[in-house]
Amino acid sequence: MLTKFETKSNRVKGLSFHPKRPWILASLHSGVVQLWDYRMGTLIDRFDEHEGPVRGVHFHKSQPLFVSGGDDYKIKIWNYKLRRCLFTLLGHLDYIRTVHFHNEYPWVVSASDDQTIRIWNWQSRTCISVLTGHNHYVMCATFHPKEDLVVSASLDQTVRVWDIGGLRKKTVSPGGADDVMRLPQMNADLFGGGDAVVKYVLEGHDRGVNWAAFHPSLPLIVSGADDRQVKLWRYNESKAWEVDTLRGHTNNVSCVMFHARQDLIISNSEDKSIRVWDMSKRTGVQTFRREHDRFWILSAHPEINLLAAGHDGGMIVFKLERERPAYSTYGGTLYYVKDRYLRTYEFATQKDNPLISIRRPGATGTNQGPKTLAYNPAENALLITSDVDGGSFELYIIPKESARGDTAPEAKRGLGVSAVFIARNRFAVLDKTTSTLQIRNLQNEITKRCPPPCPTADAIFYAGTGMLLVRSEDKVTLFDVQQRTSIAELSTPFVKYVVWNADMSCVALLSKHAIIIADKKLGNAQTVHETIRVKSAAWDESGVLLYTTLNHIKYCLPNGDSGIIRTLDTPVYITHVSGNIVYALDRDSKNRTIQRKYDTVISLIKGSGLCGQAIISYLQHKGFPEVALHFVKDEATRFNLAVQCGNIEVALASAQELDDKDTWYRLGVEALRQGNHQIVEFSYQKTKSFERLSFLYLITGSLDKLRKMLKIAEMRGDVMGRLHNALYLGDVREQVRILEEAGQMPLAYIAANTHGLVQEAERIASGLSHTPEQPTTTTPPQLLLPPTPILKEDNWPLLTVSKGFFETLAAKGGASAAGAKAGGAASASAPAELDAAALEGAGWGEDDLDLDLGESLRLVTFSTGRRRECRGRGGEVGEAGEGDGEEGWDMEDLDLPPEMLHGAGGSTAAAAAAGGGLAFVAPSAGVPACQKWLDKRTQLAAEHVAAGSFQSAMSLMHRQLGATACEPLKPYFMEINAASHGSLPGMTGLPSLTCHLDRVHSVESPTGPPTNPALLYSLPQLEEALKAAYKLVTEGKFTEALKLFTRILHILPLLVVPSRKEVDEVKELLSIAKEYHTALRCELKRKELKEDDLNRGAELAAYFTHCKLQPVHSALSLRSAFTLFFKLKNYATCATFCRRLLELNPGPKIAAQAQQVLSACEKTPTDSVKINYDPRNPFDLCPVTFTPIYRGSKFVEDHYTGARFQPECEGALSPLGDFVRIGADASGLLVSSTQVR
């Protein structure tokens, strides 16, 4: 039995597999229906509208529906896509035991304790037939998968088979629905209609029958009953009879069914066992037991080899035997076992031939087939291991003349859990019973024995000539058999398979949910974590590891980077990778080839077939925004991707379509980063960034444009802008004039006098009441002049890089379109060719400005061919200057160099956008370390927080703890994220460099790839905080102590610890913090009451003593309580507190006082005030209501701390940290990778 998935919950009474998706429904005794993804191991949804236990549940074969029936007499039809109940079918008068959809018709059959079976039409929402005849509870009823039959089982000790052919004919025939409506409904309900009649009554069980089921294809029925027997029945057209009885269960048989793909019967029972029976031999094959849980229900997947069983404590999804074929690859040939034959498959020619016949073991039971296969090319020998006899091997020498598989050479057998070849004529066997490694020759003779490197070794793998990889508990050891020494060790999860590359320089260790890649000495290990089970792996020629999970083919690089290649419909096992072809075996041992289809990718890109956000986000995270750019048409997304990958041409086109200020600003920033100052200028013009534009003209040496910026600032009335432009130009007279106009006469005088403008200085001084003193300087004053640019090129030169596959594709696809649109693109990309019309709607104005250049009238020619007159400020109404008062800016009035105006064709756009057309784009940035942290698919919330992914961290905490409020955790998130990054100061004027701090950084390998983020909080820190909190409690500073315990509760989910031992310590600390948090809040609430409610105060004091505190604090709480109760004259209760205090062995003074009070109380052992407190009945204190929850009462839990609450608190935030929802479904606290299996 191979367990694939397991849950813990209330008793599971009903199970149903989804026919296509990896989902299973579980209906619980608590009234909840759970929908699980058994492949991912996650709870997808829960449905809880039933009142009382839900005993039956079933998925529809093709519609997004399922049906449930429960003890509330209701049948509910649900749509799992809409996540709600569509309608309820009423009619049964007692508990509903099972419900089942018909494979073809819109029918549901239900069995009930009201002794009837009902068939419902779920489309018309009516009962179309009532089957009566049983005279006790009907425990189950199901449709035959193909024929018009229903089988039912009842506690009246019979199994009945019903013929519903009449019902089908009535439904299918024209007017059938009208006939149904004309039935006398009352008689049908009482006696059943004539559409369904009893065909057979199977009698043979001595007690009530709990289950009966049809065989999917043969005329067989199996039943299980309270007489502890499983009976097999056969039927034909005229009769049915008992074939055999299967005995072995020691309690009531709860459920029984046929295996979907093998000749097996599976039954489970209240004797806490599942039994597997051989249907042909009628004997028991295997038995699986649980210690404490009785089994109630079984379900088989209709398509694949999966079973599920529900028990008192949850459910398990399992398969009976391994489906992985045994295979080995050598050179260009695959050796594998199929149908009792060793076969070969040539990868080059794709020829498949049987080689030899292999005898199957005679042992009974499941999981007895070949487990591993090892091939020795030197001696043409074969080693096959299996689980027969607890682990055994078979050695075959393949005859050279055999070619068609008609020979069956004799095998040499032996016992051992693992066997591998280690030399040309030697193989190693691990004998676990004696804990020895046996070295045998090809005659199966033992030539050497040696102890394994670890006494708990349980498997060995080939690691080169004379070398073995030995697996034990939580590590793998590289062992030299000749020297009998351990060369290296590596801590790993439980390794299942080992895959070496061609030159034995790298090894991949495959475990259930992880892949560890290391070198031949087990050094430089990198781990890739998977949420779905890893199935196989193979190396390609270039050193890339391709591996499969249950539903994906993925790749992994030696540095730990990984990703998805394609999705799989069914699991396959990779055997070989050659070029673009992946060879694999499926679970039926059929060879399959999988090719990378670039043509399909190209058609998807050209047809825009992929436009979802998922693929765009994936490509962005993996550092391929330039590829993602080809998948989208949305301009905002295209702009973001173009900026990210540095494609300034596409970004410009998208910015013109979007035409908003933020987009133009971002385009300017990116263009400035690339040194494309023409597009920077255009972007600044669009956003009216006058200051930035002036500075751009300064650093590019465009002094003529800078003078025009001075005129524009004057027209805009921007004094500071005018002064800045005058300073940039070194125009002192203009500076003096600006200061005069601004009323800064003293400054104007000093500026004129400093720069030798004597006449202007005298004129200004005449208007001043007193002349300002001239500042003294050690050096003679000099005029501030802008530096002359060294180069006055169009744009900065860019690095030339080769285009990738997708860029080449885009270039080919867009060649013709580019030629057609070249003229339009030119005017869109070159700022020199932009006319006033390009700025319409941008708030710039269309009219030319009079810059007072000595002309009263000019003709300005626009690139659109229009002409218009522009007058000076003294013009008529409606001429230039008219508008809302904000002056526009005529870009055509700029005296641009003639080379910029040359060639208004398509070349201008390319030159402006790509820096002269001589280069492509600079390489995009690599994947940051924080993304690599996330790519490891860690399940630890703290590592997501450190990487900056707060959303995924909260999602994890929601699944693990039921966390819904993030505000209390925000400061801790910010601190953890800040602590995982360092800042390195750079050169003067450059920003600091942010680096990611790694938790396992070592001086020996300072340049290693990122593994795990450094974390701020640790367990020793919280232990120190706990000691400080204890001290505050002892001192009576409850408010300060409560803050410390709240902080501990907030930080605990954000810890990461390396070992199971520390996990236990974290859980112990959580339990302590929970108890103290509840106790302190209870005591603070009592103190708030004061004298207002003495009874309630006494209750809270009593509850305070029952919190699990340190002995010194418990003694203080008991002393406070007996003082209060003595004053209230509740002597009987006071005496219990005194006795409990004395049991703690307090100091002599306190003990004497307690003894005196106890003596006084025992004289009159009565209570004068009645309160809600029973010291003899154990209880938990609700942290919300501060009321006791006595043993046996209903409660809801906070899955983070385990605190129990009154049922009415469900859905509220837990006061223990204020971030967890009470009663939410959650898996529990996860603070270590050792908790993930």
Side-chain angles (χ1 to χ4, degrees), residues 379-662:
E379 300 293 335
N380 210 25
L382 200 73
L383 263 178
I384 295 176
T385 65
S386 67
D387 288 334
V388 176
D389 300 327
S392 61
F393 67 89
E394 296 177 353
L395 175 65
Y396 291 91
I397 306 298
I398 304 171
K400 293 184 178 179
E401 65 273 6
S402 64
R404 292 184 296 178
D406 49 4
T407 59
E410 188 67 29
K412 298 178 176 66
R413 294 180 173 83
L415 296 178
V417 292
S418 291
V420 292
F421 288 107
I422 58 168
R424 184 180 62 82
N425 57 357
R426 293 288 187 273
F427 65 96
V429 178
L430 176 62
D431 186 350
K432 200 174 178 183
T433 56
T434 60
S435 188
T436 57
L437 276 172
Q438 302 172 356
I439 310 301
R440 297 177 179 241
N441 59 22
L442 297 187
Q443 285 70 47
N444 202 19
E445 299 164 344
I446 299 175
T447 60
K448 184 192 293 186
R449 285 189 176 91
C450 64
C454 184
T456 58
D458 56 6
I460 55 175
F461 304 96
Y462 177 66
T465 303
M467 307 286 282
L468 288 174
L469 281 175
V470 183
R471 180 187 74 194
S472 60
E473 289 181 349
D474 56 353
K475 66 180 178 181
V476 169
T477 305
L478 183 61
F479 184 65
D480 187 326
V481 177
Q482 292 290 335
Q483 304 295 328
R484 300 189 182 187
T485 57
S486 298
I487 297 173
E489 282 187 357
L490 181 63
S491 295
T492 65
F494 185 80
V495 174
K496 299 173 71 176
Y497 309 105
V498 170
V499 182
W500 290 90
N501 65 354
D503 59 1
M504 298 290 288
S505 62
C506 285
V507 63
L509 309 174
L510 278 56
S511 68
K512 190 174 183 180
H513 289 290
I515 295 176
I516 299 94
I517 294 180
D519 59 27
K520 60 183 178 181
K521 299 296 184 183
L522 300 185
N524 299 322
Q526 298 293 327
T527 304
V528 177
H529 295 279
E530 289 290 339
T531 52
I532 301 178
R533 290 190 296 278
V534 178
K535 305 308 290 183
S536 66
W539 295 87
D540 76 351
E541 302 96 330
S542 56
V544 177
L545 181 75
L546 271 65
Y547 65 97
T548 60
T549 64
L550 278 171
N551 58 352
H552 286 119
I553 295 182
K554 296 189 171 185
Y555 70 86
C556 179
L557 303 179
N559 65 356
D561 286 346
S562 63
I564 298 174
I565 294 176
R566 63 165 290 171
T567 304
L568 295 171
D569 298 327
T570 56
V572 297
Y573 303 89
I574 296 180
T575 56
H576 183 65
V577 182
S578 177
N580 290 338
I581 303 176
V582 175
Y583 298 91
L585 280 172
D586 63 16
R587 284 179 165 171
D588 294 325
S589 296
K590 294 179 182 176
N591 281 284
R592 296 172 59 179
T593 57
I594 303 162
Q595 269 184 294
R596 303 178 203 171
K597 299 179 180 178
Y598 276 121
D599 295 340
T600 307
V601 178
I602 293 169
S603 63
L604 285 171
I605 294 173
K606 286 184 175 178
S608 297
L610 295 171
C611 56
Q613 291 299 317
I615 190 166
I616 298 164
S617 174
Y618 172 76
L619 290 168
Q620 275 184 287
H621 287 163
K622 290 299 177 184
F624 299 108
E626 67 276 8
V627 180
L629 190 58
H630 299 285
F631 288 100
V632 289
K633 286 187 175 179
D634 176 64
E635 292 297 344
T637 309
R638 281 178 64 80
F639 177 80
N640 291 331
L641 291 170
V643 167
Q644 189 174 346
C645 67
N647 193 331
I648 204 74
E649 191 172 16
V650 174
L652 176 63
S654 297
Q656 288 178 320
E657 291 294 328
L658 297 169
D659 198 22
D660 64 78
K661 189 172 182 178
D662 183 59

Side-chain angles (χ1 to χ4, degrees), residues 182-242:
R182 286 196 294 268
L183 281 174
Q185 191 64 37
M186 184 180 297
N187 291 340
D189 281 354
L190 290 175
F191 307 109
D195 312 324
V197 296
V198 177
K199 192 168 185 180
Y200 321 113
V201 178
L202 310 179
E203 297 177 318
H205 284 289
D206 299 329
R207 301 184 72 176
V209 186
N210 291 315
W211 203 268
F214 285 114
H215 192 282
S217 57
L218 299 174
L220 296 173
I221 295 170
V222 66
S223 61
D226 287 349
D227 59 6
R228 308 175 183 180
Q229 296 177 359
V230 175
K231 288 185 179 288
L232 184 64
W233 314 79
R234 182 178 288 273
Y235 61 89
N236 57 23
E237 284 300 318
S238 58
K239 63 177 181 177
W241 63 97
E242 181 180 335

